[in-house]
């Protein structure tokens, strides 16, 4: 990073946007801003979050900006690292946990088609989870197909680490796209067919209660046995949720049990620049950890593929196919998360590339699955 502070200046790790700072009780004065990244002198930080009674301990020291960039955020409680197995189905649909909405923030810009929200939920530390797991949400009201019964559970990938966005193990975050139905004949929105749960979540307000089940899922757990492993992450839209959790664990949090030194490579496919999710966070990792993180975007409405068509994630994969195949041959893990419709195009691309390399894709895929290198969660 080219900028430098005056000699002896004390700085804290990058802590997010003005809006997020106001929400967590950080004061607005004595701010330093570089490259759209907010920095704060430690003397001005109220380290007591209003979501938790925990005071975070930061060491005050003189350091260069480069050192400050790389200093990670302390997390607790550290016993969340102790479990040998992931927590599974602690709360079931018949006896869900009542959690509280902390915040709902729109993630996308004005030119994005549709609305996607970042929703922080306070579970009080009672519904612990691991990165890559999902929560179930039961929206209020009755199931129209089963009068008198509650709605079915909707699953959402968790978009935070086990410590949550406030680093105290008491919250979880979801990345939710509001599902809206437009009548094909009139072109007008039909609220009666809109997504029940996504609209409930995106419309919720701080303090609202929600019914949680789970956590569930093992297929997308981040394998941490080798901290120097390569992880290739391919997401469309809100499918980026589990990868945000992985990347915060790798690059943002001071987790003594997992010191990542490998390569994380994220491919994110969305419609346009305004639709990018968590872009500032990912871009900051790119600056701070250029040897350990790569970030490629496929913007279908703004970029063209080599044939002049729209750029989708499979086109980006094809662009880097030689490198990806070599990494897979070397033991890399590959993850796919997003809408079901993403997989056929990706599989076709991988098959074509394999054949061009003189390999059988079916045999290769079988081997990847056998080696537990292949992780898919689509919905």
């Amino acid at each position: 990073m080219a900028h430098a502070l005056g000699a002896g200046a004390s700085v804290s790790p990058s802590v997010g946007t003005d809006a997020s700072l106001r929400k967590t009780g950080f004061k607005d004065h004595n701010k330093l801003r570089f490259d759209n990244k907010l920095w704060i002198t430690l003397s001005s930080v109220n380290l007591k979050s209003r979501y938790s009674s925990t005071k975070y301990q930061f060491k005050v020291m003189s350091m260069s900006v480069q050192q400050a960039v790389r200093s990670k955020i302390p997390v607790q409680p550290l016993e969340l690292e102790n479990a040998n197995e992931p927590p599974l189905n602690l709360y079931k649909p018949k006896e869900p946990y009542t959690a509280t909405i902390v915040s709902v923030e729109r993630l996308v810009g004005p030119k994005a088609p549709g609305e996607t929200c970042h929703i922080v939920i306070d579970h009080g530390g009672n519904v612990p989870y691991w990165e890559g797991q999902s929560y179930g949400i039961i929206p209020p009201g009755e199931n129209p197909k089963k009068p008198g019964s509650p709605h079915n559970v909707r699953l959402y990938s968790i978009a935070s680490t086990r410590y949550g966005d406030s680093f105290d193990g008491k919250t979880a975050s979801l990345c939710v796209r509001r599902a809206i139905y437009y009548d094909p004949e009139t072109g007008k929105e039909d609220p009666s067919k809109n997504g029940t749960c996504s609209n409930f979540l995106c419309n919720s307000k701080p303090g609202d209660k929600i019914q949680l089940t789970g956590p569930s899922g093992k297929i997308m757990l981040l394998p941490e046995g080798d901290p120097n492993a390569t992880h290739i992450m391919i997401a469309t839209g809100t499918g980026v949720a589990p990868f945000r959790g992985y990347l915060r664990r790798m690059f943002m949090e001071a987790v003594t049990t997992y010191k990542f030194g490998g390569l994380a490579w994220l491919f994110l496919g969305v419609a346009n620049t305004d639709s990018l999710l968590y872009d500032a966070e990912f871009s900051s990792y790119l600056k701070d950890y250029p040897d350990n993180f790569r970030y490629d975007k496929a913007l279908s409405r703004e970029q063209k593929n080599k044939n002049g068509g729209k750029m989708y994630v499979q086109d980006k994969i094809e662009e880097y196919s030689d490198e990806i195949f070599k990494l897979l041959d070397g033991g890399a893990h590959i993850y796919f998360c997003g809408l079901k419709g993403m997989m056929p195009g990706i599989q076709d691309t991988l098959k074509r590339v394999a054949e061009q390399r003189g390999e059988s894709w079916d045999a290769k895929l079988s081997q990847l699955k056998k080696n537990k290198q292949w992780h898919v969660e689509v919905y």
Side-chain angles (χ1 to χ4, degrees):
M1 194 165 169
H3 304 284
L5 291 177
S10 295
V11 298
S12 78
S14 172
V15 288
T17 62
D18 289 303
S20 66
L21 287 168
R22 284 196 292 275
K23 284 189 168 59
T24 50
F26 286 77
K27 304 298 183 189
D28 271 355
H29 52 279
N30 297 337
K31 291 186 299 214
L32 304 165
R33 186 180 292 281
F34 298 126
D35 298 337
N36 296 321
K37 189 176 287 191
L38 191 64
W39 300 77
I40 298 193
T41 53
L42 281 179
S43 60
S44 70
V45 178
N46 170 10
L47 292 172
K48 189 170 181 180
S49 163
R50 66 174 176 157
Y51 305 133
S52 127
S53 59
T54 309
K55 288 184 179 176
Y56 302 119
Q57 301 300 314
F58 287 77
K59 286 185 180 175
V60 180
M61 61 184 78
S62 297
M63 60 178 92
S64 71
V65 171
Q66 188 61 36
Q67 286 173 303
V69 166
R70 290 182 180 273
S71 61
K72 294 186 177 183
I73 297 174
V75 292
Q76 55 181 10
L78 294 179
E79 52 264 31
L80 288 178
E81 300 294 320
N82 295 343
N84 293 322
E85 289 290 319
L88 284 169
N89 302 313
L90 303 176
Y91 291 88
K92 298 187 168 62
K94 288 187 178 174
E95 293 182 351
Y97 179 80
T98 302
T100 306
I101 296 285
V102 173
S103 61
V104 177
E105 290 186 61
R106 181 183 166 99
L107 277 176
V108 293
K111 293 178 184 172
E115 181 177 37
T116 301
C117 295
H118 181 72
I119 298 163
V120 180
I121 297 164
D122 184 350
H123 59 78
N126 298 307
V127 198
Y129 56 88
W130 283 8
E131 299 72 24
Q133 289 192 298
S134 299
Y135 270 166
I137 306 287
I138 305 172
E142 66 175 22
N143 189 332
K145 294 178 181 174
K146 296 179 188 171
S149 298
H151 282 286
N152 293 335
V153 172
R154 270 68 163 192
L155 289 178
Y156 292 92
S157 296
I158 298 170
S160 49
T161 72
R162 64 194 70 185
Y163 298 101
D165 285 10
S166 43
F167 309 106
D168 61 2
K170 293 182 180 177
T171 69
S173 302
L174 304 180
C175 179
V176 179
R177 180 174 170 135
R178 188 190 290 274
I180 293 175
Y181 178 83
Y182 292 95
D183 186 289
E185 289 184 12
T186 64
K188 290 184 179 175
E189 183 186 338
D190 181 351
S192 69
K193 294 182 181 175
N194 283 351
T196 303
C197 198
S198 65
N199 283 275
F200 159 66
L201 287 169
C202 290
N203 291 336
S204 56
K205 302 282 187 290
D208 287 355
K209 302 298 180 188
I210 62 166
Q211 302 299 304
L212 273 190
T213 70
S216 63
K218 280 185 167 184
I219 197 88
M220 294 292 282
L221 292 177
L222 180 63
E224 297 189 357
D226 177 6
N228 298 317
T230 294
H231 303 272
I232 302 164
M233 300 164 266
I234 295 153
T236 56
T238 57
V240 78
F243 306 143
R244 178 184 185 253
Y246 297 175
L247 294 168
R248 284 172 80 89
R249 188 161 173 83
M250 291 168 176
F251 300 127
M252 185 181 284
E253 298 178 343
V255 182
T256 53
T257 54
Y258 182 58
K259 295 188 176 177
F260 183 66
L263 172 66
W265 190 355
L266 174 64
F267 291 87
L268 175 57
V270 293
N272 56 18
T273 303
D274 269 22
S275 304
L276 286 167
L277 305 172
Y278 309 111
D279 188 60
E281 223 168 272
F282 302 150
S283 298
S284 74
Y285 304 147
L286 203 56
K287 278 186 185 175
D288 299 346
Y289 299 93
D291 298 333
N292 303 96
F293 183 53
R294 292 175 68 172
Y295 178 31
D296 282 278
K297 310 167 202 180
L299 308 176
S300 60
R301 298 189 186 180
E302 292 179 7
Q303 297 172 325
K304 297 277 188 251
N305 63 22
K306 65 179 185 183
N307 300 319
K310 291 183 175 182
M311 175 73 81
Y312 294 111
V313 280
Q314 60 262 34
D315 300 309
K316 279 286 173 192
I317 292 167
E318 188 167 16
E319 208 174 295
Y320 293 102
S321 56
D322 277 348
E323 208 173 342
I324 290 170
F325 272 67
K326 282 174 189 163
L327 290 169
L328 291 173
D329 289 343
H333 290 269
I334 190 164
Y335 310 81
F336 304 89
C337 192
L339 294 172
K340 274 193 185 93
M342 75 185 273
M343 287 311 291
I346 288 171
Q347 292 262 35
D348 289 347
T349 297
L350 291 170
K351 184 172 184 177
R352 186 171 67 251
V353 170
E355 286 169 356
Q356 286 166 359
R357 293 167 60 88
E359 297 182 57
S360 158
W361 172 243
D362 291 342
K364 192 171 195 72
L365 178 58
S366 173
Q367 193 62 45
L368 291 171
K369 288 178 177 176
K370 187 178 171 185
N371 295 347
K372 298 186 175 170
Q373 292 171 252
W374 181 266
H375 313 262
V376 179
E377 186 170 85
V378 290
Y379 39 83

